[in-house]
Amino acid sequence: MEEGITGGPGKGIIFVVSAPSGTGKTTLCREIIKKVKGVNLSISYTVREPREGEEDGKDYYFVSEEEFRRLEQEGAFIEWAVVHGKKYGTPLAPLVSQINRGEDVILNIDPQGARKIREKISDAVFIFVLPPSMEILMKRLKDRGTKKEEIELRMKNAEEEMRNALWYDYIIINDELGNAIEILKSIIVAERSKKERMIHKVKEIISRSLGR
Ligand code: ADP
Ligand code: 5GP
């Protein structure tokens, strides 16, 4: 377990969400934080260029290669990986403070990053989002305005990424967005009620009712 991020009484849950690029995981995660209280979205660092409409500090922290390397050497990332040829990293400090405040955090990261989180945080929850078909995935990439060369690279990587789906805890097919949101919401709500995460509550209620 990573120092400082031990799951335990009153601590938040880490939800790792992965999907091939264009599946809709960003859309899904942005909707879920509006609908479910107490869940935050982790903001990663990346060296890739911002897309139209993306904001620094909201979608990503957009940094240079040098800045990324400096942060990596300082140990600022709990994990980082090269995805579609560019570096992406999850900052450790905000994750630790949110979890310690009892807030849940969604990490929208690729399967390489997800594996690293699995090694470090044994009680994280892993969710893989699949597109209904490869044709629809291609259409979503195009509609989002992804450049042609990028679409080719992302479609090529999609198959390999999807092979990881079976080691995740949950799979969501993002067909109709409303359905996918409901499924993700159900997963979060159910995970919060797992007995392992409720033991302290059970003890608290029993001792209170016995006046101890
Ligand atoms: P990702 O974060 O997985 O790369 P995005 O959230 O950017 O994907 O979504 C890719 C495109 O697909 C966006 O244009 C988004 O509006 C669209 N999209 C997302 N979910 C759905 C859905 N369920 N049905 C149709 N279009 C969707
Ligand atoms: P995009 O460039 O489309 O925003 O993201 C490309 C890929 O990078 C997606 O699979 C996304 O989940 C992944 N990604 C984003 N942030 C991180 C991160 O901090 N770490 C890792 N490992 N992957 C990330």
Side-chain angles (χ1 to χ4, degrees):
M1 202 69 106
E2 178 82 12
E3 209 181 319
I5 321 186
T6 51
K11 297 266 181 115
I13 307 168
I14 294 179
F15 292 94
V16 175
V17 177
S18 303
S21 179
T23 301
K25 62 187 173 308
T26 308
T27 311
L28 192 55
C29 293
R30 293 224 173 279
E31 287 300 315
I32 211 75
I33 58 168
K34 287 189 226 157
K35 290 196 156 52
V36 183
K37 276 206 185 124
V39 191
N40 301 316
L41 205 47
S42 161
I43 304 171
S44 295
Y45 283 74
T46 183
V47 303
R48 84 149 162 77
E49 292 291 310
R51 291 191 193 112
E52 209 179 302
E54 281 184 332
E55 280 176 44
D56 186 47
K58 181 172 166 273
D59 299 285
Y60 282 105
Y61 295 106
F62 295 99
V63 292
S64 63
E65 279 282 349
E66 295 71 49
E67 176 69 356
F68 194 97
R69 212 170 305 122
R70 189 185 63 74
L71 288 164
E72 194 263 314
Q73 281 163 4
E74 277 176 4
F77 300 129
I78 181 169
E79 68 74 35
W80 70 273
V82 176
V83 190
H84 312 310
K86 298 274 157 58
K87 286 177 188 163
Y88 295 79
T90 305
L92 175 62
L95 185 63
V96 174
S97 50
Q98 286 165 351
I99 293 301
N100 285 342
R101 283 202 300 269
E103 291 165 18
D104 299 337
V105 183
I106 298 180
L107 308 185
N108 183 333
I109 62 175
D110 89 312
Q112 304 171 72
R115 277 187 196 278
K116 291 179 199 160
I117 297 292
R118 189 172 61 162
E119 283 160 19
K120 293 182 175 181
I121 302 163
S122 55
D123 70 343
V125 179
F126 296 86
I127 303 163
F128 202 96
V129 188
L130 286 174
S133 70
M134 296 312 261
E135 290 74 23
I136 291 177
L137 179 64
M138 170 98 93
K139 184 175 181 307
R140 287 185 189 164
L141 278 170
K142 278 186 188 154
D143 291 350
R144 188 177 66 183
T146 316
K147 289 185 202 132
K148 193 166 171 285
E149 325 78 79
E150 281 223 359
I151 293 182
E152 278 166 19
L153 178 65
R154 284 164 190 249
M155 287 301 293
K156 207 168 92 202
N157 293 341
E159 204 181 306
E160 185 56 37
E161 285 180 332
M162 279 158 54
R163 289 189 204 285
N164 284 282
L166 294 179
W167 69 257
Y168 281 61
D169 300 312
Y170 298 94
I171 294 176
I172 301 176
I173 297 175
N174 184 18
D175 194 342
E176 204 274 306
L177 185 61
N179 279 343
I181 293 169
E182 278 308 306
I183 298 170
L184 181 53
K185 191 175 156 189
S186 312
I187 294 169
I188 294 172
V189 172
E191 282 292 333
R192 285 177 175 173
S193 295
K194 270 227 166 127
K195 71 168 187 245
E196 292 80 359
R197 304 189 208 279
M198 295 298 282
I199 289 170
H200 67 292
K201 286 274 175 202
V202 176
K203 287 183 181 158
E204 199 182 294
I205 293 167
I206 294 173
S207 60
R208 210 187 305 137
S209 62
L210 294 177
R212 284 191 237 129

